[in-house]
Amino acid sequence: MRTGARPFILMLALVVGCNGSRDQLLADLQSPRPEVRALAVKKLAGQNNADDLILFTRAAKDLAAIVRAEAAVALGESQDPRVVDLLGELLEDSDEEVQGRAAMALSKVKNDKAKAYLMLQYGRRGRTTRQVIVQALKNANVPGAMAEVVAAEAKSQWDRNLLTLSEGELPERVGAAEELGKSGRPEAVNRLLPLVRDSQVVLAAAAVRGLGDAGDKRAVGAIALLLDESFPELRESAITALMKLQDPAVAPRLQAVALEKSAVSPQALDAIVSFPRTPETDAALCAVALDGAPADALVAAQAMRSRGGCPADPIGERLSRVTTAANGLQAVMGLGPSAQALLPKVTPWLQQNDAALRLLAVDAVASVGDASVIPLLQKLLEQESKGLEALRTDWVVQKLPEAYGAEFDPSGSASSLPTGAPKDERAARHATLFDRVKALNAQRARDSGRPVVKPRAPTELFDDVEPARLVPLATVLRALAMLRAPGALELLKGYSQDSSLPLRTAALQGLARLGAEGVAVAREGLLEPERDLQKALAISLVDGGEVGVAALVELLPKMGSEKLLVLDALTRSTAVPASASPVLQAVVKDGGPEAALAAVLLARIQAKDAVPTLIKALDETNTVARRDVLLALGTLGDAQAADVVSRDLFHDLPEIRAAAATALKRMGATTQTESLDALRSDYYRTVRDAAGAALAKGGTASEGAR
């Protein structure tokens, strides 16, 4: 009996132990700690008890995401068709981890309803969940999983936009028109073309923008007619669309808009500049260079500078008459060295009594770059200096103090106040919130190694000379620097600390073009608080060549919000050194809009060492620089980045999907053919084009369109 009783006692102990363990797990489901509840759900799921399904259903409603995620897994393991709707709800959860767990759980149920949930939610979720949904469909043995969900998403978007265009309210129809155009489908063009003459201007403008995105040149004629409309919004949309359609045949029409000197003229000029070079576009640009508004004429002439310039005779004819001289001088200023033959007709205007024409002539000869005019400019300098000498004479002989007295310093401590000052007054003067914020910002700047920019102390009680009166002198100073006149370096150094902003700006801009010694002085101007000065100086440093570019790169880590100005200037240069890679990588790590420009520059200098930094930047889901980082990785062509880049083929934003496909093409990646082939059915034309180009060896984006 003793031998037979032993197995019975052991079995009884085992049952009691299991029940005790289960009771504990049931108690843990009520724990106030989310991690304990989640672990309890996981362990109960491992016991495969059908009666626990109700427990998992309740856990799916838990306030903690970690618990809902474990509940999704447990529901999927049950493979019970009744849980499909609940898993569909979890697929819409606010937490991506829960969404992913729910998607994989649905793949285990393997019925049509579960598949329908996965197909539906693909177009509504973010990149991570979309990737998991495709994997879930593959696990459920759905053939061509990604191709199927991409096609389903495209069909859903098309049907929704088509219905909205027909039956929606006006704001909804406007959005639908633009979205239909982005599809690039011929049917979309057929739907939108009649709308360009709709009585609702906002809808007509949206249809025009959509036609531009569609990329179908059948729409060029209808859109070009809208340039004669009087509605600014419609004209702007037409110009934007024509720029995207890139048909040089409309250059004469755009030329007429650019010459009317209206609010949309600069936009029309930008469109002409963007077109492929043809005799029509060259003629349009030269016409604007002669007769456009001053700013537009300068842009048009600068565009023609690299194309060999414009015919000299029409410009020379303008220079021969006072009434049209300003147009001719403006054209020469933009054409620069390509207008060398016109210099003899420009120099007489340096002695013109009309100050406006004289200044245009100074800028024109400086742009041409012929040193023979230096004596004339030096004579002008002498005249301008003498004319200002009396006005700029200090009427206070003593030098003004450049620091506050102990009793008046707003940044001083309470101990610097007069001992007799009332307590309330002392608090009001030294404990204001604004002063505290300034002090904290200054301390942060010092801690980060950035110099603290201090306001320039006034050197005059009152300046008798208006800034506009100093512009002629500033123009001559800048011209002498551009021509590298003898003595220009010392002359501009003397004006580099001038109290007048126009003169100081001109001096610093000129010094930036005078080699290493000039750059050493000019670079300090980037730390001044005047934003216009910083922008102009940064561009001048880039124009100054390698020395100026190196100075900008060196100063970049010390800059605060001015980084964007410096980076924008650097993108204009082709002389950014490879040694700038560490500095630019630091900008990418900091994130923000500056990271986008830094990524562009890293790609341009072929900074292979920046690949890990750029890959790391893609971990930031909300970075505004994602598109530029992807394209930079593609340009650098490092195959180790292919897997990371390919994840963005699942991104919910079409511009990111297109950038990822383009990057994969540039780096020659060949292992993502399934995903790229699926994107050839994408709703958006740009994505289809990019995916097709990536699949076509040596092909172009248009070859990949579908």
Side-chain angles (χ1 to χ4, degrees), residues 324-411:
T324 58
N327 301 75
L329 292 170
Q330 191 78 44
V332 172
M333 189 192 313
L335 292 170
S338 65
Q340 176 71 37
L342 292 165
L343 187 62
K345 294 189 176 184
V346 174
T347 50
W349 294 102
L350 291 173
Q351 298 164 357
Q352 172 63 234
N353 291 330
D354 187 317
L357 290 177
R358 191 166 65 247
L359 289 185
L360 284 175
V362 171
D363 281 331
V365 297
S367 180
V368 171
D370 192 317
S372 63
V373 300
I374 289 178
L376 293 174
L377 293 177
Q378 290 174 330
K379 184 177 180 180
L380 276 179
L381 174 67
E382 184 179 353
Q383 292 174 358
E384 293 293 343
S385 299
K386 285 184 177 180
L388 292 170
E389 187 175 356
L391 294 175
R392 303 201 81 204
T393 300
D394 291 341
W395 56 275
V396 176
V397 180
Q398 295 84 2
K399 184 179 179 181
L400 294 179
E402 298 186 9
Y404 287 102
E407 299 181 4
F408 302 98
D409 188 354
S411 62

Side-chain angles (χ1 to χ4, degrees), residues 634 641-643 645-646 649 659-669 672 676 694:
D643 289 340
V645 170
S646 64
L649 295 175
T662 301
L664 290 170
K665 174 181 172 55
R666 290 178 180 176
M667 63 179 61
Q672 290 79 25
L676 289 169

